[in-house]
């Protein structure tokens, strides 16, 4: 019975961390509200959010695999969210020719795909570093 209870606990932790992570990311975007854009059919923003969710979950998956206690998963999950935010801000910084946030708001799917890839790709790097 214990594996089932642990699975439920890891699941609950993952849901909470994803929700908190998405809330924090929403605070980072000042030019638009993520969920309003999704409701309006903005695929670029939807791709960006999807990358963040998958990225956070990848970090959590590595954390669960390498941790023996739930608190380790919480700590690594929170750290993963912070690193994902840093990655997003750095991506915004290095794209000098355009604003990632503005392009996502305009519905530029190409930028949405790249933000998706940055989130997922770096999640694997972050996750692999958890030992």
């Amino acid at each position: 019975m214990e594996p089932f209870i642990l699975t439920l606990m890891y699941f609950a932790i993952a849901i909470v961390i994803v929700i908190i992570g998405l809330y924090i990311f929403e605070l980072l975007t000042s030019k638009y509200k993520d969920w309003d854009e999704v409701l309006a059919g903005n695929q670029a923003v939807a791709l960006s959010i999807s990358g963040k969710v998958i990225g956070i979950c990848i970090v959590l998956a590595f954390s669960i695999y390498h941790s023996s206690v739930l608190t380790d998963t919480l700590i690594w999950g929170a750290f993963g969210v912070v690193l994902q935010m840093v990655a997003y801000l750095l991506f915004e910084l290095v794209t000098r020719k355009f604003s990632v946030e503005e392009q996502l708001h305009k519905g530029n799917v190409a930028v949405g795909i790249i933000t998706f890839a940055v989130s997922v790709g770096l999640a694997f790097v972050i996750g692999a570093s958890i030992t």
Side-chain angles (χ1 to χ4, degrees):
M1 187 64 134
E2 184 181 340
F4 293 107
I5 293 170
L6 279 175
T7 299
L8 285 173
M9 292 172 78
Y10 282 122
F11 177 75
I13 287 170
I15 297 292
V16 168
I17 289 174
V18 167
I19 289 170
I20 290 170
L22 289 178
Y23 176 75
I24 293 169
F25 276 114
E26 175 92 19
L27 295 175
L28 286 178
T29 53
S30 60
K31 297 183 189 304
Y32 61 87
K33 294 294 178 206
D34 290 343
W35 298 110
D36 292 344
E37 290 298 313
V38 169
L39 286 173
N42 187 328
Q43 295 176 349
V45 171
L47 278 165
S48 182
I49 293 170
S50 298
K52 292 167 187 165
V53 170
I54 293 169
I56 292 168
C57 288
I58 288 169
V59 172
L60 287 169
F62 275 96
S63 171
I64 291 167
Y65 184 73
H66 290 287
S67 300
S68 58
V69 251
L70 289 168
T71 53
D72 285 352
T73 299
L74 279 169
I75 292 166
W76 281 112
F79 189 59
V81 168
V82 169
L83 291 177
Q84 288 277 353
M85 283 185 281
V86 169
Y88 179 81
L89 294 172
L90 285 173
F91 180 52
E92 180 75 62
L93 258 172
V94 298
T95 53
R96 294 179 180 242
K97 292 191 176 200
F98 62 90
S99 164
V100 173
E101 190 175 346
E102 282 180 21
Q103 291 301 310
L104 290 172
H105 186 224
K106 290 179 181 177
N108 186 332
V109 175
V111 173
I113 291 169
I114 292 170
T115 59
F116 179 93
V118 166
S119 293
V120 172
L122 288 176
F124 280 109
V125 172
I126 295 164
S129 70
I130 298 172
T131 55

